[in-house]
Amino acid sequence: MDHFLYRDGVLHAEDVPVPGIAAEVGTPFYCYSTATLERHYSLFVEALGGLNCLICYAVKANSNLAVLRTLARLGSGADVVSEGEFRRALAAGIPGERIIFSGVGKTRRELQFALENNVRQINVESEPELHLLNEVALAMGVVAPMSMRVNPDVDAKTHEKISTGKAENKFGIAYEDAPRLYRVAADMAGIDVLGIDMHIGSQLTDLAPYEQAYVLMRDLVERLEADGIPIPRLDLGGGLGVPYTRDNQPPPLPFDYGAMVRRVFAGMEDREFEIEPGRLIAANSGILVASTVYVKENAGRRFLILDAAMNDLIRPALYDAWHDIEPVIEAEASAPKTTFDVVGPICESGDTFAKQRPMPNISQNDLVFFRSAGAYGAVMASEYNTRPPAPEVIVSGDRFAIARPRLTYDDILAKDVIPDWLGEAGPSED
Ligand SMILES: *Cc1c(COP(=O)(O)O)cnc(C)c1O
């Protein structure tokens, strides 16, 4: 459920009419709903109620500081994958003690930064990383809180670009290798062995792969503890899918996920649990609003050319992702449908949001919006074609604020530096 509903035929973000935001901010823009973010966070709190579980929001899904602060105020922790994200989480008010550092390529500098900022735990993903972490911790005179990301080799049955739990993926430590590496870690003076982590992919629409992975986690924990290595923390990763369209079978609810977790880990309730949801918290908390620049007909196909492009929302181009696209002024239920290809202005055919999509008729200058654009949307934006990425707005009740303004062309051009030897503008004189 989200808070982007039509009222009297006009799309509202909570209590704010979307055309009013468009008039003030211009299009395209992202719009996030505080109430939806809060609701999704609390769904996880309820689903895992009774377990000692910290929800560590996966910052990479949407790292806007206003979004992070909204979640920080609810007590959320963070799962970060770079020093930059770590700094964002801190800036939003999430203390290091609630920040998990994940990722296959953490550098020496990043490990040091995390330790300096009292990181909750570092999820180590390889043997060389374990050695480097030990070395950095010893040099700093601290002990690094460590969890190991183990790759269970299960098929998450999601898009190949967001599947992470198969043996062939770059993520985690091979399941078979884990017992040996835990022994190595337990003997290191700079390492405090705290936990185990699995994250098998994103946009999972079935609980079965999770259950397979968690059963393997449970088995491994029992085996490690039998070998004298206690594992007090279980990090269950993120990845729960969201409904991108109302037509398909909906993905499992956090409540069902929570029930499965309790079942698999029955008898282990004395542990600390952690989960790392990103998409489920952010995706349906955001929309992307755009205007129609032209409606064009070419060889019998009708194209809706928007002022938003793949530089604003790359998911359709990158993952063949589906987003529902609807007019901001509601169409009559009986209105006839037209088939459109919905595209952006970028000079690549990949800049296509939807092909042969039946939609109510839409005209030049009409506002449309993409649902479920709050996760992996703005964070993946670029300036390709020297287009200022869509600004971000956040709504709370009847208020809205610009959470990231649109860059000016001067802002963008000022990032580049022309070396002295190229001299002034104009043809060279020598
Ligand atoms: C991306 C990621 C997540 C979040 O995945 P979602 O599908 O957005 O829930 C959690 N943990 C790790 C380690 C990740 O890389």
Side-chain angles (χ1 to χ4, degrees), residues 118-178:
N118 300 322
V119 65
R120 172 182 186 80
Q121 101 202 10
I122 294 180
N123 287 355
V124 162
E125 297 215 18
S126 66
E127 187 161 7
E129 184 186 350
L130 177 64
H131 285 282
L132 181 58
L133 180 60
N134 183 46
E135 188 188 314
V136 171
L138 289 176
M140 292 172 67
V142 300
V143 180
M146 195 240 21
S147 183
M148 223 176 264
R149 177 166 178 183
V150 177
N151 184 326
D153 191 19
V154 302
D155 186 351
K157 300 203 170 59
T158 183
H159 191 282
E160 62 167 321
K161 286 185 185 155
I162 49 176
S163 178
T164 59
K166 290 281 287 169
E168 74 226 36
N169 297 133
K170 68 181 175 182
F171 298 98
I173 285 159
Y175 191 80
E176 305 71 43
D177 221 15

Side-chain angles (χ1 to χ4, degrees), residues 58 60-61 79 81 102 149 199 201-203 237-240 276-280 376:
K60 75 175 190 285
D79 171 64
V81 293
S102 300
R149 177 166 178 183
H199 171 73
S202 195
Q203 186 53 16
L240 208 53
E276 304 169 345
R279 188 188 306 270
L280 201 139
Y376 307 105

